[in-house]
Amino acid sequence: MAEMLPSLMVPTSSWLRRSVHRRWLDHQGLRLLDFSKPSRMKLGFGPLDEEGVLTPDASPDTILTARMTHSYAISAMRGVPGCLPLAEHGVAALREGLKDKLHGGWFTAPPETLKTARKKRKENYLHAFVALAASSAHVAGVAGASALLKDAAHIWETHFWSEEEGVFRESFAADWSDEENYRGANSNMHSVEACMALADVLDAPIWRIRALRSAERFIHHFARENGYAVPEHFDRSWKRLDDYNRDKPTDDLRPFGMTPGHFVEWSHLLLKLEAALLRQDGHAPFWLLTDAIGLFSTGMKAGWSRSGTGGLLYTVDFQLAPVVHNKPHWCQAEALTAAAALLKRTGHASYETWYRKIWDFIDLHMIDRKKGGWIQELDADNHPSEAVYPGKADLYHAWQATLNPLLPLSPSFATAISELDG
């Protein structure tokens, strides 16, 4: 592990201290918010195509609705016009048309549009985003958000949290029966993010403990033993499923192999969790910092393009050889967020170098100055691709990447904005 500097201050030469860079980040974030506004539908939000238009067959998407609600609620707090009505629209959709009024909880789309039992499953990944959206909207004072938050936290805690295992369960049938024989690193990673938000918003430290327990199992145990490459797929007995989705290498949530973008995403989440625990009572496990450094190092070594074209690729196998060479935008966003977090935490120049390199790649290859938004995915030669992610549906990852560098490691997004602007 690299030796820590005596001061946690960001070096004076850092881009993070440059007023022009900070204005540039703000400008890019505002462009992204504007681009995604047409995703509003009669119910919730739907996916935009590469032109920034709802596709003719677009239907409301609950994950997108939660992410849009989170993003526009926080932006409303910052004083960005047009954002509060969109956050209100999202909260209303999550409370009404997108909710299962029979058994509680949420599906990925309106219940009446789901035709198969497989599509009617209730997923932890989605419920973590509903909890995150509700917490952000509550802090922003969005109408109906407090009731949504109470409902979301209760359902998430009651059905998904496994006190025995210290992780979140993966999915259930519509009536909460038939628990899936699967434990996933991806949904638990986003659960860590949502747990920290709930801990801040509800003033309930138990959610931080849950975040710590999940991180300890997936990272301090499994990833650390695997050289800080994060195994993604397990069964309920905690057997690694290394062949999982071997025939679906471009699956958008559970691809075969390992995802370097998740290594670096876990990295900055561990630093935020460390900061949250330190803020809470003055101490945090030292392994959070050690593991964050290891995850970033392995993620960039395994994932950064080896052909000289730059960018973080999608997946690698268990020998860290590339599987899917395509470069999703969210991988770049999480890598630069991790570099910024490590720079804030350690002051080491290597993270400044990475931070600048990743932004240079995004600026030259992913920011679409003709059609707007970010190109969601590039192939190995940096040409637009839709092998994994069609269109430009996602606001959440790119927009957070423009805001994360401007904020402290703790507290969580909405609470940090309220404290800075309060």
Side-chain angles (χ1 to χ4, degrees):
M1 185 187 73
E3 182 182 356
M4 294 298 99
L5 297 180
S7 170
L8 303 184
M9 297 295 290
V10 174
T12 56
S13 60
S14 173
W15 274 8
L16 298 186
R17 288 186 176 274
R18 302 288 176 86
S19 60
V20 170
H21 180 67
R22 296 170 73 85
R23 289 197 299 273
W24 183 87
L25 290 173
D26 229 8
H27 174 67
Q28 296 301 327
L30 293 172
R31 289 182 71 248
L32 289 164
L33 291 168
D34 277 347
F35 179 83
S36 290
K37 287 176 180 176
S39 64
R40 174 176 176 162
M41 304 185 70
K42 184 176 181 180
L43 175 66
F45 296 85
L48 298 177
D49 65 15
E50 65 174 10
E51 303 286 339
V53 177
L54 284 166
T55 58
D57 60 346
S59 61
D61 182 294
T62 314
I63 293 174
L64 283 179
T65 298
R67 289 176 167 181
M68 294 291 181
T69 303
H70 162 71
S71 302
Y72 285 114
I74 291 174
S75 300
M77 293 170 60
R78 300 189 75 206
V80 182
C83 293
L84 180 59
L86 293 176
E88 292 173 338
H89 179 70
V91 167
L94 292 170
R95 292 189 66 198
E96 297 297 333
L98 295 175
K99 184 182 176 183
D100 178 5
K101 294 182 180 178
L102 180 61
H103 299 291
W106 291 267
F107 301 113
T108 56
E112 65 274 10
T113 69
L114 302 170
K115 305 302 182 184
T116 66
R118 183 183 65 81
K119 290 186 176 181
K120 288 184 178 180
R121 295 192 68 81
K122 290 170 178 168
E123 302 172 354
N124 178 59
Y125 184 91
L126 165 59
H127 283 72
F129 276 109
V130 173
L132 179 67
S135 66
S136 298
H138 171 77
V139 176
V142 176
S146 296
L148 177 63
L149 176 59
K150 182 178 179 180
D151 190 21
H154 173 72
I155 290 170
W156 198 34
E157 180 177 39
T158 301
H159 294 292
F160 288 100
W161 175 249
S162 171
E163 181 64 25
E164 178 183 1
E165 298 168 272
V167 302
F168 287 85
R169 302 180 177 97
E170 194 66 23
S171 79
F172 296 88
D175 62 357
W176 302 108
S177 64
D178 188 29
E179 181 184 349
E180 184 179 4
N181 184 26
Y182 181 84
R183 293 290 181 264
N186 188 8
S187 82
N188 272 271
M189 178 184 69
H190 284 290
S191 296
V192 167
E193 177 186 25
C195 278
M196 288 190 282
L198 289 186
D200 288 340
V201 172
L202 299 175
D203 191 20
I206 184 63
W207 288 102
R208 289 190 199 98
I209 301 305
R210 290 169 179 162
L212 181 63
R213 291 183 66 192
S214 181
E216 186 168 16
R217 182 182 282 269
F218 280 101
I219 301 303
H220 197 54
H221 178 46
F222 290 118
R224 183 171 61 90
E225 292 180 353
N226 198 45
Y228 290 116
V230 183
E232 296 275 348
H233 314 298
F234 301 84
D235 66 15
R236 286 169 58 185
S237 299
W238 292 101
K239 175 186 176 183
R240 266 178 52 173
L241 304 176
D242 287 358
D243 283 329
Y244 190 90
N245 270 352
R246 183 177 285 275
D247 60 338
K248 297 179 180 178
T250 57
D251 190 88
D252 63 339
L253 287 177
R254 300 184 188 178
F256 165 72
M258 299 183 292
T259 309
H262 286 159
F263 305 2
V264 295
E265 192 167 359
W266 273 107
S267 175
H268 72 76
L269 288 171
L270 294 192
L271 293 178
K272 292 172 181 176
L273 180 55
E274 179 198 40
L277 291 169
L278 289 171
R279 180 184 171 101
Q280 175 181 304
D281 56 20
H283 37 126
F286 189 73
W287 62 261
L288 289 166
L289 174 59
T290 306
D291 290 7
I293 292 170
L295 287 163
F296 184 83
S297 176
T298 299
M300 301 311 290
K301 287 177 182 177
W304 194 255
S305 172
R306 305 172 200 189
S307 64
T309 56
L312 204 67
L313 55 75
Y314 188 38
T315 57
V316 296
D317 65 18
F318 295 95
Q319 288 71 49
L320 302 185
V323 175
V324 177
H325 291 260
N326 284 23
K327 306 161 189 178
H329 77 290
W330 70 262
C331 296
Q332 325 313 317
E334 298 302 330
L336 71 87
T337 296
L342 284 160
L343 178 64
K344 295 173 194 175
R345 178 62 178 86
T346 71
H348 281 289
S350 61
Y351 300 121
E352 175 77 22
T353 299
W354 271 119
Y355 179 77
R356 296 185 183 194
K357 181 182 291 189
I358 299 163
W359 264 130
D360 283 343
F361 177 81
I362 293 170
D363 182 82
L364 294 176
H365 300 290
M366 287 193 149
I367 295 176
D368 190 340
R369 292 182 170 86
K370 292 183 179 179
K371 300 176 182 178
W374 286 14
I375 297 168
Q376 304 275 276
E377 177 188 340
L378 302 171
D379 66 14
D381 297 315
N382 296 334
H383 301 131
S385 171
E386 295 187 336
V388 185
Y389 302 103
K392 293 176 180 173
D394 184 34
L395 168 67
Y396 159 84
H397 283 100
W399 170 78
Q400 287 203 156
T402 68
L403 188 55
N404 255 314
L406 302 174
L407 297 176
L409 293 174
S410 180
S412 54
F413 264 87
T415 306
I417 295 296
S418 68
E419 291 184 0
L420 287 173
D421 293 343

